[in-house]
Amino acid sequence: MAKRLGNTIQLDEDYPIQWQQRNSIPSMNLKRYILDGVISGEELLWIYHRLLETPLWTLSRTSTGPGRNMIPFMGFPGLGIETRGEVHNEFLSGYFRSLIFRVKHQLKKDYSAQIPSEVKRIHVGGKSSFSRTKFHSDSKDESDWTILGFLNPVWNAKDGGEFYLDKEKIEYKAGRFVVFPSYIEHDGGYVVNESLSYWRVAANIILTKPEK
């Protein structure tokens, strides 16, 4: 829970406990892949600013559905690029589809693994120290896969922002991609630096098998 003190919102001291408890036992045989080096630093700098300068961001996105009744600033800005065949931004849709091919190529090269190609969703979220989410899954369909891309050109691990996949803690690194089955519960983006002057930005891409 959270409470307001003057013009600020203070979280209960035990807020991160749900993550600590999940991280207390290592996940065994968890099917997930971590890819670094898919995007160069120069490209990260370009796409980061291009995303932030794109219209159509919403300011009250949540990980678990509509957040109309939540405390202000507890959600996070979100940018929908493509949703179930509806393209909201053609340029960024093309860019991220190209990125999917690069991720799949490196996934096959590094892990001899393959994932579906059909896009179900491409969304981008920005988080600050005020943003709060809960453990959730991206899809109940066990054939769906999520590509989570960390798009900040620079990031200091001391500022937080880590990602939790079930019981595993994965450090937020500039340009890192985490690929995992969409049904696995996850959460992330707990930024601890309240004076951080830029957003923690991540792309969430869900891939599915084509309909027969």
Side-chain angles (χ1 to χ4, degrees), residues 56-61 76-80 123-126:
L56 302 179
W57 283 82
T58 59
L59 300 179
S60 58
R61 188 171 179 81
F76 59 92
L79 174 64
H123 287 181
V124 175

Side-chain angles (χ1 to χ4, degrees), residues 11-143:
L11 296 172
D12 291 344
E13 293 180 357
D14 62 350
Y15 175 78
I17 283 181
Q18 60 166 326
W19 290 351
Q20 295 169 6
Q21 290 173 339
R22 283 181 176 259
N23 199 37
S24 61
I25 304 174
S27 298
M28 300 299 292
N29 300 320
L30 180 61
K31 188 189 298 182
R32 63 95 179 109
Y33 307 99
I34 296 177
L35 304 175
D36 292 316
V38 177
I39 301 182
S40 69
E42 185 178 9
E43 183 179 350
L44 274 172
L45 183 62
W46 169 78
I47 190 59
Y48 180 83
H49 287 287
R50 182 67 185 250
L51 288 168
L52 294 186
E53 293 164 2
T54 299
L56 302 179
W57 283 82
T58 59
L59 300 179
S60 58
R61 188 171 179 81
T62 67
S63 60
T64 54
R68 293 186 181 90
N69 297 323
M70 65 185 179
I71 298 174
F73 306 117
M74 296 290 280
F76 59 92
L79 174 64
I81 295 171
E82 185 173 338
T83 308
R84 296 187 179 275
E86 181 181 357
V87 176
H88 313 299
N89 184 298
E90 290 189 8
F91 174 80
L92 290 176
S93 174
Y95 171 79
F96 279 102
R97 281 178 174 269
S98 174
L99 191 57
I100 290 168
F101 287 115
R102 279 190 272 166
V103 168
K104 291 189 65 176
H105 173 76
Q106 187 163 335
L107 193 63
K108 187 175 182 179
K109 177 182 176 182
D110 293 353
Y111 296 99
S112 299
Q114 294 185 345
I115 57 176
S117 298
E118 191 79 12
V119 173
K120 180 179 282 189
R121 183 181 80 184
I122 302 173
H123 287 181
V124 175
K127 293 184 178 180
S128 70
S129 60
F130 285 103
S131 306
R132 297 291 178 266
T133 52
K134 297 180 179 180
F135 273 90
H136 63 282
S137 62
D138 289 337
S139 172
K140 301 300 182 183
D141 189 333
E142 294 189 2
S143 65

